[in-house]
Amino acid sequence: MSHEIWDYRPTAGYRAGVDLVGYRVEATDGHIGKIDKHSEAVGAAYLVVDTGAWIFGRHVLLPVGTIERVDAAERTVHVDRTKDQVKDAPEYDAAKHAGEPSYLEQFARYYGQPRM
């Protein structure tokens, strides 16, 4: 992976300031949920996806570097991971995220790039 996992790819079509909350999320092999939370934090931007009934209402965190393309007209975000890769990701825990500065490191490891 040549891009930083916590930053948007220049080719993703994302425009700063666009709120992605409520957008559908599509993996390479199908629908995985809707965006529940979106952060544009420099060097730590991410999406929290509500997977609904697909994996029992679990919330998963996706670094924005996994976004292949944002389709604003369809309100859909396409990511470069399979449904199984998303399902097997560490579960998002809002309390740990708020209280542990190193919390994002487990996601960086899982998604393939160590956080600096």
Side-chain angles (χ1 to χ4, degrees):
M1 209 183 285
S2 63
H3 61 278
E4 168 61 47
I5 198 82
W6 301 105
D7 295 320
Y8 291 93
R9 298 177 194 183
T11 57
Y14 176 73
R15 290 188 339 246
V18 173
D19 187 4
L20 298 177
V21 171
Y23 276 45
R24 288 175 49 89
V25 180
E26 294 288 329
T28 58
D29 57 352
H31 179 71
I32 57 173
K34 288 197 174 207
I35 298 172
D36 193 46
K37 183 176 181 180
H38 170 222
S39 166
E40 290 185 315
V42 175
Y46 62 88
L47 309 172
V48 175
V49 179
D50 180 349
T51 62
W54 173 58
I55 49 176
F56 311 111
R58 199 167 155 230
H59 286 80
V60 294
L61 185 142
L62 291 169
V64 297
T66 63
I67 297 174
E68 282 189 321
R69 178 171 56 93
V70 176
D71 184 337
E74 295 292 324
R75 293 183 48 86
T76 303
V77 170
H78 298 268
V79 297
D80 66 357
R81 297 299 192 269
T82 65
K83 290 169 79 170
D84 280 344
Q85 287 174 312
V86 172
K87 183 178 79 174
D88 294 341
E91 187 163 3
Y92 175 71
D93 182 326
K96 285 184 181 176
H97 188 191
E100 297 178 21
S102 63
Y103 181 69
L104 293 180
E105 289 175 15
Q106 68 181 312
F107 296 97
R109 283 191 304 274
Y110 179 79
Y111 289 109
Q113 185 175 18
R115 187 159 162 74
M116 301 297 175

